[in-house]
Amino acid sequence: MSEIKACIFDLDGVIVDTAKYHYIAWKALANKLGFDFTLEDNERLKGVSRMRSLEILLEIGKIELSQKEMEKLAQKKNEQYVKYIVKMTADEILPGVVDFISELKEQNIKIALGSASKNAVLILEQINLLHVFDALVDGTKVKSAKPNPEIFLKGADELGISPDNCVVFEDAEAGIEAAINAGMRSIGIGSPSNLGKANKVMKDMKGLDFETFIKIFN
Ligand code: BG6
Ligand code: MG
């Protein structure tokens, strides 16, 4: 097995639980358009880009709109979402993340962000984690969405590290597929029911230390 030289982290669902804020904002939009949007529906939006999320939402409500109208709605949704994320603090970082990242730093492992979100920098500033990343790839820098490997390959490239020396942390099935398509190993954060293709699945990073991490791939 190739040596691990870098970890690439997804943001939403891996470092912070922003799905709840996306949900409130999408639900408000759906209700305004006259239909309901459930928590189960929200699962379909995880890892998916903002515009694709809106398309799925409109499919659920059986509503067809022009591109221009869709852009307006996506912007409105984002304005509401941002109202929640500007209130975020470091308290919202998911269990184990800060300790695990500090261990990686001590071990000279490079760290990149690989997130579809265009709000990634804002969120990382809010939770005071922006400074830990050696490379940042977010929704403003890529053309193709996961499962396309572009986000992760760009992250590896910015770090100057080969894909087979990278491990991706992801909570979305499309994200694990993107890691596989990039030729990277991966750890799924969440449930094996949808993340089964990852090398290992864990609920969160609580208690994860470097030794245990390395052993996963031995
Ligand atoms: C992903 C989330 O990280 O970012 C998706 O899992 C979200 O739910 C996507 O739609 C885009 O986010 P944003 O912040 O650019 O609307
Ligand atoms: Mg995610």
Side-chain angles (χ1 to χ4, degrees):
M1 281 276 187
S2 322
E3 190 189 340
I4 295 167
K5 296 184 183 168
C7 287
I8 307 183
F9 293 89
D10 172 45
L11 176 64
D12 297 312
V14 170
I15 293 177
V16 280
D17 173 23
T18 40
K20 56 187 179 214
Y21 303 131
H22 279 297
Y23 177 60
I24 298 171
W26 284 127
K27 190 178 164 67
L29 177 66
N31 293 166
K32 235 182 163 176
L33 294 169
F35 62 95
D36 197 21
F37 182 72
T38 66
L39 267 173
E40 204 186 327
D41 295 330
N42 196 52
E43 285 301 305
R44 291 177 60 190
L45 308 189
K46 287 190 179 170
V48 168
S49 74
R50 191 181 306 166
M51 274 318 263
R52 181 65 198 131
S53 296
L54 177 59
E55 282 167 18
I56 296 171
L57 182 121
L58 294 175
E59 264 166 45
I60 293 167
K62 297 187 179 64
I63 291 178
E64 273 186 44
L65 295 174
S66 70
Q67 190 60 30
K68 215 168 171 190
E69 286 168 316
M70 283 176 63
E71 272 159 24
K72 235 171 146 181
L73 289 185
Q75 193 190 330
K76 268 209 165 134
K77 179 268 170 183
N78 193 57
E79 281 164 13
Q80 209 197 337
Y81 175 64
V82 167
K83 280 187 192 157
Y84 289 99
I85 58 177
V86 294
K87 290 189 201 140
M88 288 180 82
T89 66
D91 288 349
E92 289 187 56
I93 300 174
L94 289 171
V97 171
V98 171
D99 287 347
F100 181 60
I101 287 183
S102 348
E103 271 211 66
L104 292 177
K105 296 237 143 219
E106 275 168 29
Q107 300 289 337
N108 281 321
I109 304 286
K110 294 277 179 220
I111 294 167
L113 185 85
S115 165
S117 173
K118 292 183 172 153
N119 294 300
V121 169
L122 174 60
I123 295 171
L124 290 174
E125 275 171 352
Q126 283 300 127
I127 61 173
N128 201 21
L129 266 194
L130 188 62
H131 61 283
V132 305
F133 290 92
D134 301 296
L136 286 171
V137 183
D138 64 16
T140 65
K141 288 194 180 172
V142 291
K143 285 196 201 88
S144 313
K146 301 167 188 175
N148 185 293
E150 185 186 4
I151 289 185
F152 297 140
L153 289 175
K154 209 168 176 4
D157 188 54
E158 284 194 15
L159 292 173
I161 289 176
S162 160
D164 61 326
N165 296 121
C166 297
V167 175
V168 166
F169 285 75
E170 255 295 343
D171 71 313
E173 192 173 355
I176 298 295
E177 281 166 9
I180 295 168
N181 293 336
M184 298 178 183
R185 287 161 283 178
S186 61
I187 296 205
I189 301 294
S191 150
S193 63
N194 62 331
L195 304 175
K197 289 184 198 157
N199 294 86
K200 169 102 183 159
V201 180
M202 47 184 79
K203 198 173 133 262
D204 53 36
M205 279 176 247
K206 196 173 173 183
L208 177 64
D209 57 39
F210 188 69
E211 216 187 308
T212 317
F213 169 64
I214 289 296
K215 275 192 190 148
I216 293 170
F217 302 100
N218 283 341

